[in-house]
Amino acid sequence: AQSVSQHNHHVILSEAASLELGCNYSYGGTVNLFWYVQYPGQHLQLLLKYFSGDPLVKGIKGFEAEFIKSKFSFNLRKPSVQWSDTAEYFCAVNQGGSYIPTFGRGTSLIVHP
Amino acid sequence: GAGVSQSPSNKVTEKGKDVELRCDPISGHTALYWYRQRLGQGLEFLIYFQGNSAPDKSGLPSDRFSAERTGESVSTLTIQRTQQEDSAVYLCASSLYRGVIQETQYFGPGTRLLVL
């Protein structure tokens, strides 16, 4: 069975620091990749997604993620975080052709002003 | 337009009671998903609906769990004879359709279930 690993469970940063959250998956075939974010008191929402093409994907609010097939990774990055980025971040992976994503455990990000 | 809504937002019940959780997807979304999220865990897939049929029930943890959907509208997740390990947030999501490419899922706020 496919698994998705988010190795950083809790991350604490100061504003303006750079962010990189790791996501690794176990499936070796075609994949669709997602990052979701859940701000405090809000619904889970899509941050960005990769289906094909340019492996560097731009999302909302200045986030980006890079698909590195050889490393089975889809790390999320932001060059300069803001207090408003405080949230829970989830990586999710679909095997190609599957409609059921496998989610990672999530990473809790706290940004100090 | 309106997003995915779920009710109740919170539910406290006693062990052994049945509970029913409701999901109203975004209008026009034919695909509907139920997930469970235990404290400190990722989302665990429960069941997927395409229209009112459920081609994949593989995630339902036991026969105490069942779900149904009326057309391309409301879905209910029923847990019979609840156990303490059923305590979790139950999330519903909907998407436009099941095509070759996975469509973006839109999530509801969840129902927080606590079984005493």
Side-chain angles (χ1 to χ4, degrees):
Chain A
Q2 177 170 248
S3 65
V4 178
S5 298
Q6 291 183 244
H7 304 294
N8 313 105
H9 297 312
H10 301 280
V11 174
I12 301 173
L13 295 173
S14 298
E15 275 195 317
S18 64
L19 170 71
E20 181 160 1
L21 301 182
C23 174
N24 288 87
Y25 59 93
S26 60
Y27 182 67
T30 302
V31 291
N32 300 322
L33 302 158
F34 306 81
W35 275 98
Y36 286 87
V37 60
Q38 187 168 26
Y39 298 104
Q42 296 188 27
H43 304 188
L44 201 63
Q45 59 184 283
L46 182 70
L47 198 54
L48 48 78
K49 60 185 178 183
Y50 171 82
F51 291 159
S52 64
D54 188 344
L56 185 62
V57 180
K58 305 284 187 184
I60 60 172
K61 302 186 180 184
F63 285 90
E64 66 179 30
E66 185 174 13
F67 171 46
I68 303 179
K69 189 174 182 179
S70 61
K71 294 185 178 180
F72 300 92
S73 70
F74 190 56
N75 292 355
L76 181 70
R77 300 193 295 246
K78 186 171 183 179
S80 177
V81 294
Q82 301 174 311
W83 174 78
S84 58
D85 294 325
T86 294
E88 190 89 16
Y89 292 82
F90 293 91
C91 179
V93 180
N94 278 53
Q95 295 181 18
S98 170
Y99 42 81
I100 300 171
T102 301
F103 281 80
R105 287 182 57 182
T107 297
S108 173
L109 171 66
I110 296 174
V111 180
H112 288 300
Chain B
V4 178
S5 61
Q6 292 185 246
S7 61
S9 53
N10 293 282
K11 176 72 177 178
V12 181
T13 190
E14 293 179 349
K15 179 181 172 181
K17 300 282 189 184
D18 297 352
V19 295
E20 190 173 279
L21 312 179
R22 176 186 169 110
C23 172
D24 284 87
I26 293 172
S27 178
H29 281 194
T30 57
L32 187 146
Y33 304 74
W34 282 98
Y35 297 90
R36 177 170 69 178
Q37 185 180 20
R38 289 182 165 136
L39 190 64
Q41 303 295 317
L43 275 69
E44 176 187 357
F45 168 77
L46 296 179
I47 188 169
Y48 161 76
F49 285 93
Q50 179 62 22
N52 62 2
S53 66
D56 196 322
K57 304 179 182 179
S58 62
L60 293 176
S62 76
D63 60 6
R64 296 186 295 105
F65 287 71
S66 63
E68 54 183 38
R69 187 179 184 194
T70 307
E72 294 181 357
S73 184
V74 173
S75 175
T76 54
L77 176 69
T78 301
I79 309 173
Q80 295 178 307
R81 305 180 304 280
T82 52
Q83 303 294 312
Q84 289 180 333
E85 63 263 28
D86 299 334
S87 296
V89 176
Y90 290 82
L91 288 166
C92 175
S94 69
S95 64
L96 266 174
Y97 58 83
R98 177 198 168 194
V100 175
I101 295 176
Q102 174 65 32
E103 290 297 318
T104 298
Q105 295 185 31
Y106 295 84
F107 284 83
T111 293
R112 283 161 179 74
L113 174 66
L114 177 61
V115 182
L116 301 176

